[in-house]
Amino acid sequence: MPTLPKTMKAIAISKPGGPEVLVPVERPLPEPGHGEALIKVAAAGINKPDALQRMGGYAPPPGASDLPGLEVAGEVAALGAGVSEWKIGDKACALLAGGGYAEYAAVPVPQMLPVPRGLGMVEAAGLPETFFTVWTNVFERGRLVGGETFLVHGGSSGIGTTAIQLARAFGARVFATAGSAEKCAACVKLGAERAIDYRREDFVKVLKDLTQGRGVDLILDMVGGEYTQRNLDALAVEGRLVQIAFLQGAKVALNLEPLMRKRLTLTGSTLRPRSVAQKGEIAAALRAKVWPLLESGAVKPVVDSTFPLAEAARAHARLDSSVHVGKLVLTV
Ligand SMILES: NC(=O)c1ccc[n+]([C@@H]2O[C@H](COP(=O)([O-])OP(=O)(O)OC[C@H]3O[C@@H](n4cnc5c(N)ncnc54)[C@H](OP(=O)(O)O)[C@@H]3O)[C@@H](O)[C@H]2O)c1
């Protein structure tokens, strides 16, 4: 077993605020507990929830690291008791409940997946948070199947670029919204049949035109607010609306009549507080059904840009500006 240092460099949230509150710190190395592995981090993915946590929302669940970072890729550096599936030196990517912005991170092994063949550490680090989220919300809760129609809002986001490609790979007709012509072009390149610039077009009208008035079978939404009524209006009979965030607010006045008339399902979920066992089930489904698509190149991670760990604040400034397409990744 290689000798491990006692401390590591990490990025902490010094107080709630803008990107500048992300500061370098020295921390003790996390110790892998029973059923956990310690990963020597090569790259860590950045997600919108990290920015929400930085601003004082989205607190880590009990027992999770206070350091930001929901996903990493790297090499297994140590194993806790009771772990036989992994060995030291294996390359893995992992979903974390926190603590990814660091040189080492401890993770329950059910939340680890092998780095897909053909992908580097940077690409692998950006997979877990969006792929777990899209899988469980689009295919499990949302029950999307081939031949159905699917709309994802925020199509150029980390979540959006993943959802477009996976829905397309499983045979759905995919539509996306995004906030500029360039972002719409990126969505189409990833497999959206039509991307809707929400600053210039009404997505309800465009979708009705594209589906001969029928509407879409599934919407994955992170916006909420005034989108919620329009989402219900844009759904087909037996349609499903899956909510994964409320960037424009969770409190809305709604006419729920379409719920009855069209027999709609309104649901949602958040990944971080779910149990290790539930995350492990999602990991197993991804390994069986999605990892082969990554290894064949049918689905490709979209990395917008990388920043050294020490420059996490600069990376968050780019995340906040929302000019990015796909994932931002920290390199360690
Ligand atoms: N529930 C869960 O388990 C879960 C897990 C992971 C992420 N999420 C949520 O999923 C969302 C995407 O995460 P991410 O990491 O992929 O984020 P991201 O890459 O930062 O993207 C955020 C996207 O939101 C769009 N947007 C921001 N404000 C908006 C507004 N007011 N109206 C419409 N669109 C807006 C932006 O697109 P434009 O520039 O085109 O507006 C941008 O593409 C976040 O809200 C995050 O909290 C939820």
Side-chain angles (χ1 to χ4, degrees), residues 70-87:
L70 300 173
E71 56 184 359
V72 295
E75 275 189 17
V76 175
L79 297 169
V83 179
S84 54
E85 313 86 313
W86 294 89
K87 56 183 194 317

Side-chain angles (χ1 to χ4, degrees), residues 13 17-18 22 46-58 68 70 101 316 319-320:
I13 300 169
L22 294 175
I46 294 180
N47 293 279
K48 191 80 171 176
D50 306 349
L52 301 179
Q53 182 178 344
R54 190 199 72 215
M55 290 185 280
Y58 211 58
L70 300 173
Y101 292 16
H316 269 229
L319 184 76
D320 287 1

Side-chain angles (χ1 to χ4, degrees), residues 53 135 231 275 292 296:
Q53 182 178 344
W135 183 262
N231 284 334
S275 68
S296 73

Side-chain angles (χ1 to χ4, degrees), residues 48 129 133 157-159 179 183 198 244-245 248 269 271 322 324:
K48 191 80 171 176
E129 177 70 11
T133 300
S157 64
I159 293 283
K183 287 184 170 187
Y198 67 81
I244 55 164
Q248 282 183 16
S269 76
L271 184 62
S322 205
H324 63 288

Side-chain angles (χ1 to χ4, degrees), residues 168-280:
R168 182 65 198 270
F170 284 92
R173 280 180 74 192
V174 180
F175 310 106
T177 62
S180 71
E182 296 73 43
K183 287 184 170 187
C184 284
C187 295
V188 169
K189 212 168 151 200
L190 288 170
E193 177 179 321
R194 170 80 148 82
I196 303 159
D197 182 344
Y198 67 81
R199 294 181 208 277
R200 295 155 45 106
E201 296 177 289
D202 173 8
F203 72 82
V204 182
K205 181 174 181 316
V206 174
L207 290 174
K208 286 283 168 74
D209 288 349
L210 289 167
T211 58
Q212 288 79 43
R214 182 180 169 274
V216 292
D217 298 302
L218 175 66
I219 300 178
L220 182 68
D221 184 41
M222 56 190 73
V223 179
E226 56 100 20
Y227 270 34
T228 310
Q229 187 73 58
R230 294 164 69 201
N231 284 334
L232 298 183
D233 294 342
L235 282 171
V237 169
E238 300 286 353
R240 291 87 67 193
L241 171 58
V242 182
Q243 210 67 50
I244 55 164
F246 292 99
L247 292 168
Q248 282 183 16
K251 291 189 181 163
V252 288
L254 280 181
N255 174 3
L256 286 171
E257 181 273 337
L259 210 66
M260 287 193 303
R261 178 172 42 85
K262 295 194 281 187
R263 303 185 293 283
L264 303 179
T265 303
L266 174 52
T267 181
S269 76
T270 179
L271 184 62
R272 198 178 191 185
R274 294 179 79 178
S275 68
V276 170
Q278 288 172 329
K279 290 172 183 171

